[in-house]
Amino acid sequence: MKLHHLRMTGIGPFAGTVEIDFAALGASGTFLLEGPTGSGKSTILDAIVYALYGQVAGSATSADRIRSQFAAPTEPSIVDLVFETPSGLHRVRRSPEFQRPKLRGTGTTKEQAKALMWRIGSPQALPAAIADTAGAGDGSEVIASRLDEVGREVQRAVGLTREQFTQTVLLPQNEFARFLRAGTGERQQVLQRVFGTETYAAVEKQLEEMRKQAKRQVDAAQQTLGTALARFTEAVALEDEDSAALTEHAAALRLESLASAADAQLAQVTARAAETAASSAAAQEVEQTARTAAEAARTARTRIDRRRELDQLATRLETEKPEVTKASAALERDETARPVVEVLRRRDTAAQAASAAIEALAARAEETRPAHPDLVDLLAEQAEDPAAALAAAADEATGAAGALKDLVDLETALPEREKQLDARREALTAREEQLKAATVRLEERPAARGALVTAREEARTAASGLAEARLALAAAQDVLKAATAADAQVKAVAKAKETAERSLRTARARAEEEATLRRRRFAGIAAELAADLEDDSACPVCGSHEHPHPADPSEDAVSPEQVEAAETARRAAEQAQAADAQALALAERELAALREDAGEHTPDTAHAEVATRTAAVTAATTAAARADELETQLNAFDAETEKATRAKEALALDIARERTGIDETGRTLAADRTRIDEARGEDGSIAARRRGHTARARAATALREALRSRVQAESSAAELAAEADRALAASGLATAETARAAVLPAQERTRLQKQVQTRAVDETRLADGLAEDGIADTVATDEAREQAEAALVAAGERLTAAQTAAREAAGLAARSAGVAQRAGSAREALAAASEQVRAVGEDAGVVVRVADLATGRSADGERVQLSTYVLMWRLDAVIDAANARLALFSGSELELQRDRGARGARKTGLDLLVLDRRTDQVRVPETLSGGETFFVSLALALGLADIVMGEAGGVQMETLFIDEGFGSLDPETLETVVREIGRLTESGRTVGIVSHVGDMKSQIAEQIHVRRGADARSTLTVTA
């Protein structure tokens, strides 16, 4: 995979749009990504990873950090990446989700994340795709437009997951350097981060939890078995001996024996229940026979009592028969006379109503005659249709009153309308005065505006130097920071120099001590050889078998162990001296850089310069704020002038309209007054004239209604008189008095009806009783009654005895059945608990064996945890790949090995050893120099990248980044490292070095410069 172009808008500390042309940067094979710590170098790497995978490079870092805090609330953040893989040229564009202001109302709403991916048809279309800042896809084909689709297409094109990509494109050299310096316990954490094997540690944790859960399940199952056994023994009421046997089987988990013993006990309980059930059934049959006999005796006695009751009822009915016959005849006469009497009552009421209607008409006519005699005259007998004539007169008067209704309202409103017209004329005069005052105020405003414009221009002139003043202040602050740091660095250089000189003296002393010991050892070597001589053995020096004068050891003889200890001390002193010398050189370079930045300034002069520049910025800022304030006032003044002008014009237009309206209203009022005068006539007002018409209409209507009532009453009286005559003739009653006499009082009628109804009910009851089964043939003598009572008492005694026996048998059977049922349920629960113990035991055994194997507790194998084993296997593969790289870096002088011994307090199997071919000695990583540490860690990082790319199917990364680790190198080693990194580019790769070390700038020509401003925003420039 090769990166071509990256464009970022509103990403991290970059508020605006920045672009990086990786193709131009990779012309020489290497480029430098440099800038101070915290300036935003890692943001570029995060942006590349986010464009491809929608996440940032660090697995522990949230993708929310990708959006810049300086981006406008309404504008999206965008990452646009063009890259190339064996499958072709591709372009991917992503925008993270963010909260933007709502288009309507207040608050914010979520803008969802977006992603687009194109396939660029040919290299010739590459410039057009890069120049497409709007994301239109010029010269490209859209292949994915949703987040999930883009994720799949990136995986298909790149061939790496995000974790694999970050392990290959961003070499974890710094993590491996930390691994080399880490303690034994910390190494496992470092490798876990690098290799991404947290999953295996999680598997260990999950298996351990499963093992604990399995143990809890086994305990719970065994507890359930104990509870089920206790329930079973209680249900079958076992003896202590039988109960102890079952408990022993359960405790030893002899589940088959437990089941057999429990089944035997259950069989005994079931047999007892069957025996008692048979006895209970027989007792119930005896009880049923006794109950049948008792019911027959009770029925015989009941029939005798029933026949005696019916005989008494028949005797009473015969005695009451004459009186009931007389009552029935009286009720028949009453039924015939009551309708006739009702018709006679209605006839008399109608006659009275007709007389009252005649009198009411006469009274209404006398009341109406004084005001409207012509209406009363219409009632004369010679008139053809008085009612029609009265209706016509009422309609005529009503029409005349209705015609005056609108004029009445018009007459009533005239005073108020005249008052309102006067008020409008007064208001018009006041508004004309307002118009004159507004005209005068507008004529005075141009002079006031001129004064505001003059003041604004003066403030703008004073604020015009603000940008230059700020730049000068920032430069002065940088100088002050450098001058202050230089003063502090002088002390650091002095201290480093003192330390370097002291370590140099120590190294020389240790070297002299080693040389002295070696000289003394060489001087006493003859005594050591003589100590090993034996008779008849050859001398290793002269070869003689005789040793007449062997050398004697001196008192100050030196042993090999003393020489080896001196050599170790000398090497340690030399390493310390080299480190101190490197620290002195770095401190001196830092002092020189600070003095160059400070120039001729001291901290005091720099402080004075900052104060001067600060005052200038404050003055310009104040003037700028004053100019903005005056500009706001001027805009408000102009807006107020415009508003006043529009108000004046609107007022003038309203005055003209109001004047026209007043004239029109006056003319209308005069015309309405003329109409009212004409319509009033001789009456005092239109209202009085209308009331007169209304009163005539009401009088005519009242006479017509009285006339209609009289006619209707006379007609109804005549009809009812004829109906009464017909009803009396049809009833057979001679006269009206005879009919009225035949009608019974209500209370008497009710009494007689109840008497007749009661006899009918008794007769029915007598007939129904004699028709009952066996009643007609029953002998109801006193002797028969006594015999039936004695038979009933004897049958009851036999039934009571049978019921007692059946009840006792049923109770015993129910208790036995309950015991059998509870025993059966308890046996089922015991069987289920036994099966649960068996199943849980089998499952738990598998879980425990797997958990012990994964957590290193198993007796089989090396007792290594799963996560540690994976790290050991992964580390072996990386070491093999890294040794091939390390052979090139070190000239085959260094080789990595995994320490399979027990170095350190814990045997993790994750320690490294370094075989030094120069001395054929095995070294621990702590003895490596700064340059050697860098070579080894870089080789490990490249080895990991080779392994990951091989596992991904041979994916090749043509663009790599190496992050940090260069600050610990001296200039000579740094040059060597850069040269070795350059070898990585011989296969066509482009390597980006991420560093803030100043000396790297002179080593690499192509550079990306990232700088952080005083407002915390970063800028990016490219030198290519």
Side-chain angles (χ1 to χ4, degrees):
M1 176 185 175
K2 182 177 181 181
L3 302 179
H4 281 275
H5 188 272
L6 173 67
R7 180 184 294 111
M8 303 181 295
T9 301
I11 299 298
F14 302 102
T17 299
V18 296
E19 299 187 38
I20 300 176
D21 188 348
F22 289 106
L25 282 171
S28 64
T30 58
F31 64 89
L32 176 65
L33 174 55
E34 66 88 18
T37 301
S39 59
K41 300 188 297 298
S42 61
T43 300
I44 297 173
L45 306 178
D46 283 340
I48 294 172
V49 178
Y50 181 79
L52 294 171
Y53 298 99
Q55 296 176 319
V56 295
S59 60
T61 306
S62 172
D64 296 340
R65 58 170 285 189
I66 199 70
R67 177 166 171 81
S68 176
Q69 60 178 324
F70 305 112
T74 58
E75 296 299 326
S77 299
I78 300 172
V79 181
D80 199 323
L81 179 67
V82 178
F83 62 95
E84 182 178 1
T85 67
S87 63
L89 287 166
H90 298 87
R91 177 187 176 193
V92 62
R93 179 185 177 99
R94 285 186 187 267
S95 296
E97 70 174 32
F98 66 99
Q99 295 289 333
R100 62 166 177 80
K102 292 182 178 179
L103 299 179
R104 296 181 179 86
T106 59
T108 61
T109 185
K110 180 188 291 185
E111 188 74 19
Q112 298 294 340
K114 298 181 177 62
L116 273 174
M117 187 171 178
W118 296 269
R119 179 183 291 109
I120 302 175
S122 65
Q124 291 74 22
L126 193 58
I130 293 176
D132 174 27
T133 60
D138 294 343
S140 307
E141 172 193 358
V142 176
I143 60 175
S145 59
R146 296 203 317 264
L147 296 178
D148 55 343
E149 293 177 349
V150 172
R152 287 194 296 270
E153 291 298 330
V154 167
Q155 181 70 29
R156 186 179 296 115
V158 178
L160 297 174
T161 64
R162 184 188 70 85
E163 292 75 12
Q164 292 173 327
F165 181 82
T166 55
Q167 289 175 333
T168 53
V169 72
L170 177 59
L171 297 181
Q173 173 268 334
N174 205 30
E175 288 285 356
F176 278 113
R178 187 178 295 110
F179 168 74
L180 294 175
R181 296 190 297 269
T184 301
E186 187 182 353
R187 285 190 174 95
Q188 185 166 2
Q189 299 177 3
V190 175
L191 287 180
Q192 196 173 70
R193 289 197 304 270
V194 174
F195 293 153
T197 59
E198 298 87 348
T199 301
Y200 299 98
V203 169
E204 288 179 18
K205 184 177 180 181
Q206 179 64 28
L207 286 173
E208 178 62 22
E209 182 59 33
M210 290 173 64
R211 187 164 70 88
K212 294 178 181 178
Q213 180 64 25
K215 180 64 170 58
R216 289 193 293 268
Q217 290 176 350
V218 168
D219 293 343
Q222 292 180 357
Q223 183 178 2
T224 302
L225 178 62
T227 302
L229 179 58
R231 177 184 169 193
F232 179 75
T233 56
E234 180 182 358
V236 299
L238 290 181
E239 298 295 336
D240 292 341
E241 182 179 352
D242 295 334
S243 177
L246 292 177
T247 303
E248 182 179 353
H249 290 321
L253 295 182
R254 294 193 294 270
L255 302 180
E256 298 296 335
S257 300
L258 176 64
S260 299
D263 289 340
Q265 295 294 336
L266 179 62
Q268 295 178 10
V269 172
T270 304
R272 286 197 298 270
E275 292 175 1
T276 56
S279 299
S280 176
Q284 288 176 355
E285 291 179 1
V286 173
E287 178 194 5
Q288 184 61 39
T289 301
R291 180 178 289 106
T292 302
E295 290 294 332
R298 183 179 294 104
T299 300
R301 190 193 67 176
T302 302
R303 285 176 178 172
I304 292 173
D305 293 342
R306 178 63 170 160
R307 180 57 189 264
R308 289 163 68 92
E309 177 186 352
L310 292 175
D311 289 344
Q312 293 174 1
L313 177 60
T315 301
R316 181 172 60 82
L317 289 176
E318 186 63 26
T319 302
E320 296 173 351
K321 183 176 181 180
E323 183 180 354
V324 172
T325 301
K326 181 179 179 182
S328 296
L331 287 174
E332 289 178 1
R333 289 194 302 273
D334 175 78
E335 187 68 21
T336 301
R338 273 192 293 117
V340 175
V341 171
E342 175 61 22
V343 172
L344 293 175
R345 185 191 63 77
R346 289 166 55 201
R347 180 197 66 183
D348 296 342
T349 300
Q352 294 174 0
S355 299
I358 293 172
E359 294 176 357
L361 177 60
R364 176 62 66 181
E366 292 301 321
E367 181 182 347
T368 306
R369 187 181 300 279
H372 308 287
D374 56 324
L375 296 178
V376 177
D377 293 341
L378 293 176
L379 295 174
E381 295 181 359
Q382 62 271 19
E384 295 183 2
D385 190 353
L390 288 171
D395 292 342
E396 180 182 358
T398 300
L404 294 175
K405 181 179 183 302
D406 292 340
L407 290 178
V408 169
D409 296 339
L410 188 63
E411 181 184 42
T412 303
L414 275 178
E416 182 62 25
R417 290 171 61 190
E418 291 173 349
K419 183 178 179 181
Q420 292 176 354
L421 182 60
D422 292 340
R424 287 176 64 185
R425 286 169 178 163
E426 293 177 0
L428 178 63
T429 301
R431 297 180 74 181
E432 289 173 343
E433 292 299 325
Q434 292 176 2
L435 180 60
K436 292 178 182 179
T439 302
V440 172
R441 287 194 299 271
L442 285 174
E443 291 172 351
E444 296 172 351
R445 292 187 70 81
R449 186 181 189 282
L452 284 175
V453 170
T454 300
R456 181 196 63 185
E457 295 304 319
E458 291 174 352
R460 283 181 175 177
T461 301
S464 60
L466 178 58
E468 296 179 0
R470 285 176 173 168
L471 292 175
L473 174 59
Q477 290 172 337
D478 290 341
V479 169
L480 174 59
K481 187 184 299 182
T484 304
D487 270 7
Q489 189 65 16
V490 168
K491 299 177 182 178
V493 169
K495 185 176 180 180
K497 184 174 182 181
E498 180 183 351
T499 302
E501 291 174 351
R502 183 169 56 252
S503 61
L504 178 60
R505 290 193 298 270
T506 302
R508 289 173 179 175
R510 297 292 180 269
E512 183 61 29
E513 290 173 1
E514 180 189 2
T516 300
L517 288 175
R518 288 187 182 278
R519 286 194 298 270
R520 289 168 56 190
R521 172 163 169 72
F522 290 148
I525 196 67
E528 287 188 21
L529 294 175
D532 295 332
L533 291 177
E534 296 179 358
D535 294 338
D536 297 329
S537 63
C539 175
V541 177
C542 65
S544 173
H545 288 270
E546 295 181 359
H547 317 295
H549 302 290
D552 295 325
S554 61
E555 295 180 357
D556 59 348
V558 177
S559 66
E561 289 77 10
Q562 290 177 303
V563 174
E564 184 178 355
E567 181 183 3
T568 301
R570 187 260 305 167
R571 287 182 177 177
E574 288 177 349
Q575 291 177 355
Q577 187 272 330
D580 291 341
Q582 181 180 355
L584 175 60
L586 292 175
E588 289 175 343
R589 284 200 299 273
E590 179 69 17
L591 177 59
L594 291 172
R595 284 176 172 171
E596 181 181 355
D597 292 341
E600 300 178 356
H601 282 283
T602 65
D604 293 337
T605 60
H607 271 297
E609 183 68 15
V610 168
T612 302
R613 298 302 181 186
T614 301
V617 170
T618 301
T621 303
T622 303
R626 177 59 179 164
D628 293 340
E629 180 182 356
L630 289 171
E631 179 68 21
T632 302
Q633 292 179 5
L634 185 59
N635 291 335
F637 187 90
D638 291 343
E640 186 178 352
T641 302
E642 178 65 22
K643 181 179 178 181
T645 302
R646 289 196 301 270
K648 174 197 167 186
E649 293 172 353
L651 181 60
L653 180 61
D654 288 345
I655 288 174
R657 290 174 176 170
E658 181 65 7
R659 185 179 294 110
T660 301
I662 288 173
D663 294 342
E664 180 63 27
T665 300
R667 288 191 295 272
T668 302
L669 188 60
D672 290 342
R673 190 181 295 109
T674 301
R675 284 181 59 197
I676 290 171
D677 292 341
E678 293 174 354
R680 186 167 49 229
E682 297 179 356
D683 293 318
S685 65
I686 297 295
R689 189 175 185 84
R690 186 170 181 269
R691 285 195 296 272
H693 290 306
T694 302
R696 179 175 176 81
R698 289 174 179 170
T701 301
L703 285 174
R704 180 168 60 85
E705 288 300 317
L707 178 61
R708 183 182 59 79
S709 297
R710 189 198 70 179
V711 171
Q712 289 179 351
E714 291 175 343
S715 175
S716 177
E719 292 176 358
L720 287 173
E723 183 182 354
D725 293 340
R726 290 193 297 273
L728 190 61
S731 66
L733 299 171
T735 62
E737 288 73 14
T738 304
R740 291 189 180 98
V743 175
L744 295 172
Q747 185 176 2
E748 180 65 14
R749 184 186 307 111
T750 300
R751 187 184 68 80
L752 295 179
Q753 287 175 344
K754 184 176 180 181
Q755 184 180 12
V756 172
Q757 292 171 357
T758 299
R759 179 174 179 82
V761 170
D762 290 341
E763 289 175 346
T764 301
R765 187 157 59 88
L766 177 61
D768 292 343
L770 292 175
E772 292 175 2
D773 185 26
I775 296 299
D777 300 331
T778 298
V779 178
T781 63
D782 293 340
E783 182 181 358
R785 176 70 169 70
E786 292 175 357
Q787 293 175 353
E789 182 67 26
L792 178 60
V793 171
E797 292 175 351
R798 290 191 295 273
L799 176 60
T800 300
Q803 287 177 334
T804 300
R807 188 162 51 249
E808 292 175 353
L812 180 59
R815 287 191 295 275
S816 298
V819 170
Q821 182 180 4
R822 289 192 297 274
S825 299
R827 179 64 186 91
E828 292 176 359
L830 182 61
S834 299
E835 181 60 29
Q836 182 181 7
V837 169
R838 183 182 294 106
V840 169
E842 293 174 357
D843 295 342
V846 175
V847 171
V848 170
R849 288 193 296 275
V850 173
D852 287 344
L853 185 62
T855 57
R857 298 176 179 172
S858 175
D860 303 330
E862 299 181 2
R863 291 192 149 190
V864 178
Q865 292 181 346
L866 175 63
S867 58
T868 303
Y869 178 82
V870 172
L871 290 177
M872 292 164 55
W873 170 78
R874 194 72 167 169
L875 183 58
D876 285 339
V878 172
I879 287 174
D880 292 341
N883 278 328
R885 299 282 185 179
L886 186 58
L888 297 175
F889 291 160
S890 65
S892 299
E893 294 177 348
L894 302 176
E895 179 181 342
L896 296 174
Q897 299 175 349
R898 183 166 64 83
D899 187 358
R900 303 176 186 274
R903 183 164 68 94
R906 299 174 60 195
K907 299 179 181 180
T908 63
L910 301 176
D911 291 323
L912 278 182
L913 295 174
V914 181
L915 177 60
D916 193 335
R917 298 290 186 185
R918 295 168 294 188
T919 61
D920 289 332
Q921 291 184 351
V922 176
R923 301 165 57 187
V924 295
E926 292 87 340
T927 65
L928 295 175
S929 65
E932 290 172 336
T933 299
F934 183 86
F935 284 145
V936 171
S937 59
L938 181 58
L940 287 169
L942 290 171
L944 174 61
D946 292 340
I947 293 296
V948 171
M949 289 188 291
E951 291 174 347
V955 175
Q956 292 296 322
M957 298 303 298
E958 298 183 22
T959 304
L960 299 177
F961 290 88
I962 301 176
D963 189 7
E964 293 303 339
F966 302 93
S968 62
L969 306 179
D970 57 56
E972 182 178 355
T973 306
L974 180 62
E975 183 178 355
T976 303
V977 167
V978 173
R979 184 172 60 253
E980 293 300 332
I981 291 175
R983 293 182 182 180
L984 297 175
T985 66
E986 295 176 357
S987 59
R989 286 178 172 173
T990 299
V991 179
I993 299 175
V994 183
S995 178
H996 61 275
V997 177
D999 288 350
M1000 297 291 289
K1001 299 180 182 178
S1002 60
Q1003 302 281 341
I1004 301 174
E1006 287 76 14
Q1007 299 177 10
I1008 301 174
H1009 311 280
V1010 182
R1011 293 293 181 269
R1012 188 180 184 92
D1015 58 355
R1017 303 174 186 234
S1018 295
T1019 58
L1020 183 148
T1021 57
V1022 178
T1023 302

